Amino acid sequence: MANIVIIGTQWGDEGKGKIVDLLAEFADVVVRFQGGNNAGHTMVVNGEQTISHLVPSGILQGKLCLIGNGVVVDPGVLIEEMDYLSGKGVPCGPENLMVSERAQMIMPYHKEIDKARETRMGKDKIGTTGRGIGPAYEDKATRLGIRFVDLIDPELFRQKLAAILPEKNFYLENYFNAAPMDYDAIAGQYSAMAQRLAPHVTDVSVVVNRAIAEGRKVLFEGAQGTHLDIDHGTYPFVTSSNTVSGNACCGVGVGPKTIGGVLGVVKAYTTRVGAGPFPSELFEEVGAFMQKKGAEFGATTGRPRRCGWLDMVILNNAVRLNGLTGLAITKLDVLGGLKTLKICTAYRYKGRMMDTFPASLKVLAECEPVYEDLAGWDEDISGIDRFDQLPDNVRRYLDRIEELTGVPVQIVSVGPQRDQTMVLANPLG
Ligand code: GDP
Ligand code: IMO
Ligand code: MG
């Protein structure tokens, strides 16, 4: 299979970074198609951890890494990340890292508005990452956004900023009682960044399509997770982009026929950062056990992640919405030591069984998870590198996931390191 999309099936942090880094070995190009630096993708290679927020997770494998038009990019964060990676000896020059000229930029007022809104919403807040993601996508849709193609044209950039800033300042000052932002300060800061980034700005759609025509393999790296999708997730407790596989085409500029497969990354249990419904959430010892053993703290904001059992209603929702052709099950090692494991197979709503995910959060709040019990295991599986050496109960857990989804498990991850992984079938074949 030539080109694949890798997406998160739950609420993010499934281990996409690790899986993309692993599979990048078999790809030529890795491209991000949505989200921004709300993402935190962790790679661990030879004991050294690297977290990337914007740069695709193929960078450690030395692959061509691209940021597509569907991503909202904070140029300051991109530069910081390039410096962080270069400091680790990872090349990040214009020959291996490029950003789409059509990608929207996150501006300082986007971050201010994001944070001010959350503060104002108080207990009803979404729990955003405060990185300006929502306000940047808003401006894209209202056609007030500033793109990289504008950044690298100093005159156009100043014109666009001058046109939009009064409106943003009016909103900041009069609605949020916040300080206005200074035109000259922003213009100066962004023009310095423009000089640094200009050599990296390109037409990513042309680059990707050319690579495909030359027979090279492309890996489309998703951020967030299916249930944070702006249309299909737990709206309004979602992010502001489409996180599902279909958006790989729009967010890069390729046709649907270029996609050969979709790998869904599934954490062996469920986590969520930020507010919003989570039917299989655990509040007592088991949740605390998962959080501690799985080190469930956000890679972007450091916030503790809420934990719960694996939920097949959401997983099957992800199977359908993304057209999954394979699963990568991560963090299986974390479940070791639990006597009984539960899988949520359906929801009970007003006495009725439901196996599809409701659109209404009111309905969802009244859904009670229906569980099936499976025997757990005590063994530490983090050092196992052959599938047939996994304890029987681990294999039963994986078999059950396959049965309930009808999708083959292609990858099993038993630790954060790149080599703590079993590839049963390589999706890039
Ligand atoms: P992403 O956003 O989907 O890339 O995931 P994150 O990097 O935010 O969070 C996943 C966390 O789990 C990171 O700390 C990874 O190093 C870690 N991780 C990934 N796979 C495994 C695994 O199989 N076992 C354990 N114990 N940790 C893992
Ligand atoms: P990766 O790619 C987990 C969550 C935030 C919040 C909601 C909206 O690492 O899996 P936003 O800042 O996007 O407006 O916040 O989405 N969120 C994530 N949760 N992993 C992520 O990315 C996330 N990106 C955003 O916590 O609930
Ligand atoms: Mg993450």
Side-chain angles (χ1 to χ4, degrees):
M1 217 169 259
N3 311 305
I4 64 161
V5 184
I6 299 185
I7 52 87
T9 55
Q10 294 151 317
W11 278 287
D13 303 328
E14 296 90 350
K16 297 175 293 294
K18 169 178 169 163
I19 301 299
V20 170
D21 166 69
L22 175 88
L23 292 179
E25 181 186 345
F26 311 99
D28 302 290
V29 181
V30 182
V31 58
R32 276 272 309 265
F33 58 89
Q34 48 69 233
N37 62 309
N38 47 351
H41 295 179
T42 314
M43 299 156 270
V44 187
V45 184
N46 300 325
E48 189 175 338
Q49 187 186 69
T50 305
I51 298 178
S52 82
H53 301 285
L54 277 172
V55 172
S57 306
I59 197 80
L60 301 185
Q61 297 273 19
K63 300 304 161 106
L64 176 60
C65 286
L66 306 170
I67 299 174
N69 58 276
V71 180
V72 287
V73 180
D74 185 329
V77 173
L78 180 57
I79 290 172
E80 266 171 37
E81 200 155 298
M82 283 159 55
D83 290 344
Y84 159 76
L85 288 164
S86 305
K88 281 171 166 272
V90 180
C92 280
E95 60 298 330
N96 71 325
L97 177 63
M98 286 183 262
V99 57
S100 167
E101 54 195 1
R102 292 181 175 81
Q104 298 276 330
M105 273 194 300
I106 294 184
M107 301 297 292
Y109 41 81
H110 293 140
K111 292 183 264 192
E112 284 306 303
I113 291 170
D114 190 1
K115 285 182 240 166
R117 244 187 220 151
E118 287 279 282
T119 307
R120 200 181 175 98
M121 289 209 279
K123 63 169 185 30
D124 297 325
K125 69 179 180 190
I126 293 167
T128 71
T129 59
R131 304 299 196 257
I133 306 295
Y137 277 115
E138 248 170 86
D139 277 358
K140 172 179 176 174
T142 46
R143 292 150 294 177
L144 289 170
I146 307 184
R147 304 187 297 172
F148 274 81
V149 69
D150 311 319
L151 176 73
I152 57 176
D153 178 335
E155 208 182 301
L156 195 59
F157 178 79
R158 292 181 91 86
Q159 267 173 21
K160 292 218 163 194
L161 182 63
I164 192 172
L165 197 60
E167 182 181 324
K168 298 297 172 190
N169 277 341
F170 182 84
Y171 187 36
L172 280 169
E173 282 187 275
N174 295 292
Y175 190 68
F176 294 117
N177 283 325
M181 308 206 93
D182 183 57
Y183 172 86
D184 289 325
I186 301 177
Q189 190 194 1
Y190 274 65
S191 79
M193 294 194 291
Q195 297 220 345
R196 169 88 189 264
L197 291 174
H200 294 264
V201 178
T202 191
D203 189 329
V204 165
S205 167
V206 169
V207 174
V208 171
N209 281 280
R210 194 177 291 146
I212 292 170
E214 286 165 0
R216 294 198 286 151
K217 290 185 185 177
V218 181
L219 214 158
F220 297 83
E221 176 180 4
Q224 290 82 53
T226 299
H227 295 84
L228 288 170
D229 182 281
I230 185 135
D231 287 293
H232 301 288
T234 45
Y235 191 89
F237 298 98
V238 292
T239 190
S240 298
S241 64
N242 284 112
T243 60
V244 293
S245 60
N247 193 27
C249 294
C250 300
V252 171
V254 298
K257 279 164 76 179
T258 56
I259 312 284
V262 185
L263 181 69
V265 186
V266 184
K267 198 177 276 190
Y269 45 99
T270 311
T271 62
R272 172 160 207 170
V273 207
F278 180 174
S280 66
E281 185 168 10
L282 290 162
F283 299 96
E284 318 256 324
E285 318 83 276
V286 181
F289 172 93
M290 290 169 174
Q291 193 186 69
K292 185 154 184 264
K293 192 164 175 203
E296 294 296 354
F297 293 90
T300 297
T301 57
R303 291 176 293 175
R305 297 179 183 139
R306 299 152 64 192
C307 298
W309 295 117
L310 186 63
D311 182 339
M312 284 300 155
V313 181
I314 75 156
L315 188 46
N316 277 320
N317 201 36
V319 169
R320 188 187 73 257
L321 291 167
N322 296 291
L324 297 186
T325 53
L327 304 177
I329 313 287
T330 62
K331 305 198 90 159
L332 210 48
D333 53 305
V334 175
L335 295 179
L338 293 170
K339 208 169 156 41
T340 305
L341 302 177
K342 290 181 183 291
I343 294 183
C344 167
T345 52
Y347 299 155
R348 190 178 288 109
Y349 175 66
K350 294 192 192 294
R352 259 189 313 119
M353 294 295 244
M354 226 166 74
D355 62 3
T356 53
F357 198 70
S360 158
L361 294 198
K362 232 165 103 188
V363 172
L364 192 56
E366 284 184 53
C367 282
E368 230 183 280
V370 177
Y371 288 112
E372 168 180 309
D373 287 0
L374 276 91
W377 58 90
D378 269 329
E379 294 90 334
D380 174 5
I381 59 168
S382 63
I384 296 181
D385 56 9
R386 276 186 36 198
F387 188 73
D388 58 11
Q389 285 171 353
L390 285 171
D392 287 347
N393 287 349
V394 179
R395 284 196 280 163
R396 280 196 197 105
Y397 191 69
L398 292 170
D399 286 348
R400 194 64 187 132
I401 296 173
E402 267 191 359
E403 267 169 31
L404 290 167
T405 55
V407 181
V409 172
Q410 296 182 317
I411 295 176
V412 175
S413 168
V414 292
Q417 296 258 12
R418 187 192 276 167
D419 58 10
Q420 288 176 297
T421 326
M422 285 161 254
V423 179
L424 314 180
N426 188 338
L428 278 161

